[in-house]
Amino acid sequence: MKGGDKGDVAAAPAGPPPPLDWKFSQVFGERTAGEEVQEVDIISAIEFDKSGDHLATGDRGGRVVLFERTDKKEHGGNRRELEKTDYSINRHPEFRYKTEFQSHEPEFDYLKSLEIEEKINKIRWCQTSNGALFLLSSNDKTIKFWKVQEKKIKKLIDMSMEGSKASGNGNVGSSSVSSNPKLHLANGGRTDKDKDKSYTFPPGGIPSLRLPVVVTSNETNLVARCRRVYAHAHDYHINSISNNSDGETFISADDLRINLWNLEVSNQSFNIVDVKPANMEDLTEVITSAEFHPNHCHTLAYSSSKGSIRLIDLRQSALCDKHSKLFEEHEAPGSRSFFTEIIASISDIKFGRDGRYILSRDYMTLKLWDINMDSGPVSTFQVHEHLRPKLCDLYENDSIFDKFECCLSGDSKRVATGSYSNLFRVFGCHPGSTEATTLEASKNPMRRQVQTPSRPSRSLSSITRAVRRGGETPGVDANGNSFDFTTKLLHLAWHPTENSIACAAANSLYMYYA
């Protein structure tokens, strides 16, 4: 039958999605022209919760600031209300300030004569419960577990209310306390004559008595309380914390060890990875980042300063000194230089939401790995290739050691990471995609477009050839703008369900949508 023949025709494979058109959404803490940024106000961590309804930032002053999504609340949740307001589901997320609290204070380790900064290194959201928000925050040495909850405010209505008016509220009129001081003995005793007598306030109460009246109002106030402190478990600076999908445990990682914690137990942790050699002179690599698998509670990955990623299975042994998979890309013969190991060091890794892919960021590139294929990365995106001629200068000013974070979209179709001059880049992961967008953390994100090719192996169009020529000038982009290595966009996060990115430029939080 002809009708059946039509059904047998295979559909043409879908091509890559078109590049996203990014637009400015919001900014919090925007600087005015010429305003000096205080060191303590610089944002050092950003994290969305799993629902995407809350956003947390940490700064170098040890504070955690929470934001909540408003566009859902304003328009209601049920279908009838959405139809009444003609509300579009595709509306971009909008956030507002919710609360803030001081998470960490500066400390001093007297045994090691070491100052411990209050700077927040990592924030991770935990599962919500009974309307309360829970999150973990960490500085270099200590992790804290916070509960943020709305509490009804108790108000003092009046300090000079008359006893007659207060009797209805505080039951003062029914008190059996005598108003005659002569009837009392020392220590509150009474004479035998008075045992059968009852004492009450005179009718109307005592005119000179003033009572405070406290009532619970309908107003609420957000209160942040530190539930637990996880300390004294790391000899080196903590670089990662990650929640387990079981909702009960989390890991913390420093340069040489990864510890497993139970959220309910703060005085004990289990060392599950230890790369410290018997002789520290034999140390060749350190742990740079660690992350739990989003769905499998027994699987986690950690990266090293040599550019490798190890996948470990907690079911294999108590001390996971052997990996189940190793992901690394071998360098091309003859390409080794003084900077090879420095630029190969991975600064951040992230699992995709479904756990299939791992995204890693080293100084020069973004790499996307399939956990089922350890022969090499699925895709490599060039981020700082144009800076290769300036590696000596970057080494001299320590910029080569900057640790840039990375993130994936909720559908794992796109990835993003930061760069210098407050720029960040978004790449398409779909096979055949040429999406490579550069945006600036400002109200006009497209102001300085830099479209250096994301994959050198791709065919060069006339536009790409022109851009590549522009990128040959060290430290200068395609538009002739010089790169500012003092302004760097290190921290950013992708909304878990929508195409929305939050990124930090010094003390300002910028949000974009597509």
Side-chain angles (χ1 to χ4, degrees):
M1 293 175 64
K2 291 184 179 179
D5 294 340
K6 287 183 180 179
D8 294 336
V9 177
L20 295 177
D21 181 21
W22 292 93
K23 299 180 178 65
F24 168 79
S25 175
Q26 292 173 280
V27 58
F28 297 94
E30 185 183 19
R31 281 180 293 163
T32 57
E35 180 185 354
E36 187 176 346
V37 178
Q38 300 296 320
E39 180 80 10
V40 294
D41 294 330
I42 295 176
I43 297 172
S44 55
I46 302 178
E47 185 78 5
F48 281 104
D49 70 348
K50 282 189 176 181
S51 68
D53 292 339
H54 293 92
L55 174 68
T57 65
D59 62 26
R60 294 188 182 180
R63 292 164 297 192
V64 172
V65 183
L66 304 185
F67 301 87
E68 66 177 346
R69 188 168 178 174
T70 59
D71 55 304
K72 282 186 176 180
K73 290 183 178 181
E74 291 173 0
H75 295 273
N78 63 57
R79 181 176 177 180
R80 186 171 296 176
E81 288 180 355
L82 295 179
E83 288 176 349
K84 282 182 181 178
T85 55
D86 193 25
Y87 172 66
S88 171
I89 297 296
N90 294 325
R91 179 171 175 171
H92 67 274
E94 291 180 1
F95 287 80
R96 70 180 173 196
Y97 170 86
K98 186 177 179 73
T99 188
E100 68 180 83
F101 55 90
Q102 187 72 32
S103 174
H104 288 72
E105 301 281 356
E107 300 174 38
F108 189 81
D109 188 335
Y110 291 96
L111 292 176
K112 298 180 179 179
S113 297
L114 181 69
E115 288 185 7
I116 303 172
E117 285 184 310
E118 66 270 35
K119 173 189 148 189
I120 304 297
N121 289 336
K122 296 290 178 181
I123 296 174
R124 290 294 180 266
W125 289 92
C126 302
Q127 293 179 357
T128 58
S129 176
N130 298 325
L133 302 173
F134 295 89
L135 51 88
L136 292 165
S137 61
S138 169
N139 67 350
D140 285 339
K141 293 290 183 179
T142 307
I143 305 161
K144 294 185 179 182
F145 183 46
W146 291 91
K147 177 182 181 181
V148 182
Q149 191 175 30
E150 287 187 346
K151 296 281 187 181
K152 288 192 174 181
I153 300 174
K154 290 185 177 180
K155 284 188 174 180
L156 185 66
I157 289 185
D158 199 347
M159 273 297 293
S160 59
M161 179 172 278
E162 294 181 5
S164 58
K165 294 181 181 177
S167 62
N169 197 327
N171 294 325
V172 177
S174 61
S175 172
S176 60
V177 180
S178 170
S179 62
N180 187 353
K182 294 180 181 179
L183 298 177
H184 291 275
L185 297 177
N187 296 327
R190 291 191 295 175
T191 61
D192 293 338
K193 299 178 183 178
D194 304 322
K195 280 184 179 179
D196 298 329
K197 296 180 181 179
S198 61
Y199 301 95
T200 59
F201 281 100
I206 302 172
S208 61
L209 185 63
R210 299 291 182 265
L211 297 175
V213 178
V214 179
V215 297
T216 302
S217 69
N218 291 325
E219 295 181 31
T220 58
N221 186 29
L222 280 164
V223 178
R225 291 182 179 173
C226 183
R227 298 290 302 275
R228 284 174 192 85
V229 178
Y230 313 92
H232 312 300
H234 288 278
D235 292 330
Y236 303 92
H237 290 178
I238 297 171
N239 55 47
S240 303
I241 54 175
S242 179
N243 304 76
N244 199 344
S245 58
D246 62 9
E248 297 179 359
T249 56
F250 71 94
I251 55 170
S252 58
D254 64 21
D255 290 346
L256 299 179
R257 293 186 176 95
I258 299 177
N259 294 332
L260 178 68
W261 302 82
N262 189 298
L263 285 168
E264 301 296 325
V265 182
S266 60
N267 61 355
Q268 185 182 40
S269 65
F270 298 93
N271 179 227
I272 56 175
V273 175
D274 189 348
V275 299
K276 183 178 180 180
N279 185 357
M280 284 296 284
E281 292 181 0
D282 298 331
L283 183 68
T284 57
E285 62 181 334
V286 296
I287 298 168
T288 57
S289 183
E291 180 102 346
F292 257 121
H293 191 283
N295 304 319
H296 299 155
C297 61
H298 53 78
T299 303
L300 63 92
Y302 70 90
S303 60
S304 81
S305 56
K306 279 194 168 181
S308 61
I309 301 171
R310 290 172 173 85
L311 205 65
I312 61 175
D313 192 332
L314 298 178
R315 299 171 298 182
Q316 290 182 348
S317 62
L319 183 62
C320 302
D321 50 358
K322 293 183 180 179
H323 52 266
S324 57
K325 283 190 177 180
L326 174 65
F327 304 94
E328 61 182 351
E329 189 174 30
H330 298 285
E331 61 190 56
S335 62
R336 189 169 183 82
S337 69
F338 173 77
F339 304 108
T340 299
E341 283 197 13
I342 300 175
I343 62 177
S345 176
I346 295 175
S347 57
D348 189 29
I349 60 170
K350 291 285 194 313
F351 271 101
R353 200 174 186 191
D354 60 359
R356 170 77 182 274
Y357 297 100
I358 299 175
L359 180 68
S360 67
R361 171 69 205 264
D362 57 46
Y363 189 74
M364 305 298 284
T365 66
L366 268 177
K367 291 186 175 77
L368 189 68
W369 307 80
D370 187 330
I371 64 170
N372 299 322
M373 189 181 79
D374 54 7
S375 58
V378 177
S379 300
T380 299
F381 308 98
Q382 301 297 337
V383 181
H384 282 163
E385 187 62 30
H386 55 278
L387 297 180
R388 194 173 289 274
K390 292 187 71 68
L391 289 179
C392 286
D393 297 335
L394 294 166
Y395 180 78
E396 289 294 328
N397 61 25
D398 287 341
S399 294
I400 200 170
F401 301 106
D402 288 334
K403 300 183 185 304
F404 293 92
E405 293 180 359
C406 58
C407 58
L408 294 92
S409 60
D411 56 9
S412 297
K413 291 182 179 178
R414 292 177 177 86
V415 296
T417 191
S419 182
Y420 294 105
S421 302
N422 284 339
L423 301 176
F424 65 100
R425 308 206 64 193
V426 180
F427 300 99
C429 300
H430 195 282
S433 174
T434 57
E435 181 175 1
T437 309
T438 302
L439 303 105
E440 182 184 36
S442 66
K443 287 188 174 180
N444 182 11
M446 310 299 282
R447 183 169 68 92
R448 288 176 59 177
Q449 271 297 297
V450 186
Q451 296 187 1
T452 52
S454 59
R455 295 187 180 94
S457 58
R458 285 181 179 149
S459 59
L460 298 176
S461 65
S462 58
I463 297 177
T464 313
R465 282 196 296 271
V467 172
R468 176 168 280 192
R469 284 198 299 271
E472 289 172 358
T473 306
V476 178
D477 65 25
N479 298 324
N481 299 311
S482 61
F483 286 99
D484 182 1
F485 297 114
T486 61
T487 56
K488 55 196 79 171
L489 200 150
L490 302 176
H491 311 287
L492 75 172
W494 201 303
H495 192 280
T497 59
E498 303 182 31
N499 286 323
S500 176
I501 291 178
C503 57
N507 65 325
S508 302
L509 176 66
Y510 286 91
M511 304 192 73
Y512 303 92
Y513 72 96

